[in-house]
Amino acid sequence: MCRGLESLPNNCIERAKGLKARLSIFLQKPNASSNPGHSSKADKLRPSLQEALKWRETFDKLLTNKHGLAAFRAFLKSEFSEENIEFWLACEDYKNTKSSAKLSSKAKNIYEEYFENDAPKEVNIDHETRKITKNNLLHPSLSCFDLAQNKIYTLMEKDSYSRFLKSSIYEELTKKPMCSCIQQQNSSQKSHT
């Protein structure tokens, strides 16, 4: 249920303002006064239309694209469920740990941050998965979070991803720029004459 801004706690308002500021770089329109041959900093940070449209194909294409990951992460923040992508990314980082000496401390940190009761970024995992993950920490390996990571991935893919594709964030990124539509229309008119 929506509430007016006046009834939201100050931290929610500040968080919303911060999110809006972070998203604004994605949602900026190209500057019409800039030279056509030169791209602005905002254009480099904003994905191309073709790039954004590819994210629709699979969840993996979204996650493996730096702009897609950033947009999806911003979307999850807007839904107050960013802990899912943060946990998934922490697991990806964990799996790239080269030093076996660091495995134990990294595993402990991930567990404390995402699994313990009242953890700062507690993920919504079933009891059995939580128990298996905790047992895996007795002998940390690169695969000790695989079950939990797969469950969170599936949750994001089946639930959050479909909402992201329907969101105003994604819709804005996949709008055709007006100037290119006019250019396409003009070029098709010239080819018919």
Side-chain angles (χ1 to χ4, degrees), residues 93-94 96-97 102-111 145:
D93 177 64
Y94 177 80
N96 290 319
T97 304
K102 290 184 179 181
L103 278 181
S104 182
S105 66
K106 272 188 160 184
K108 183 179 181 237
N109 289 339
I110 291 172
Y111 189 83
F145 292 105

Side-chain angles (χ1 to χ4, degrees), residues 40-151:
S40 69
K41 186 177 180 182
D43 290 342
K44 291 177 184 173
L45 296 174
R46 182 185 172 98
S48 69
L49 174 61
Q50 294 78 14
E51 188 178 358
L53 288 172
K54 285 187 180 194
W55 305 341
R56 227 181 261 266
E57 295 173 13
T58 67
F59 187 49
D60 278 336
K61 286 191 180 185
L62 173 72
L63 292 182
T64 56
N65 178 279
K66 69 177 181 174
H67 296 298
L69 178 60
F72 185 63
R73 194 174 196 167
F75 170 74
L76 291 179
K77 284 184 184 214
S78 75
E79 290 200 328
F80 304 100
S81 61
E82 68 268 22
E83 70 278 354
N84 292 328
I85 193 68
E86 289 177 8
F87 168 69
W88 186 83
L89 290 168
C91 290
E92 290 297 293
D93 177 64
Y94 177 80
K95 286 191 252 183
N96 290 319
T97 304
K98 303 287 185 226
S99 166
S100 58
K102 290 184 179 181
L103 278 181
S104 182
S105 66
K106 272 188 160 184
K108 183 179 181 237
N109 289 339
I110 291 172
Y111 189 83
E112 288 173 354
E113 191 163 2
Y114 298 100
F115 286 90
E116 284 186 349
N117 291 334
D118 298 322
K121 298 177 183 179
E122 187 175 359
V123 289
N124 188 9
I125 290 288
D126 62 273
H127 176 71
E128 187 63 26
T129 302
R130 190 176 301 271
K131 183 177 153 187
I132 291 168
T133 303
K134 188 172 186 174
N135 286 339
N136 288 345
L137 294 183
L138 297 174
H139 305 285
S141 69
L142 292 177
S143 62
C144 68
F145 292 105
D146 283 359
L147 177 63
Q149 185 184 22
N150 288 336
K151 296 233 178 189

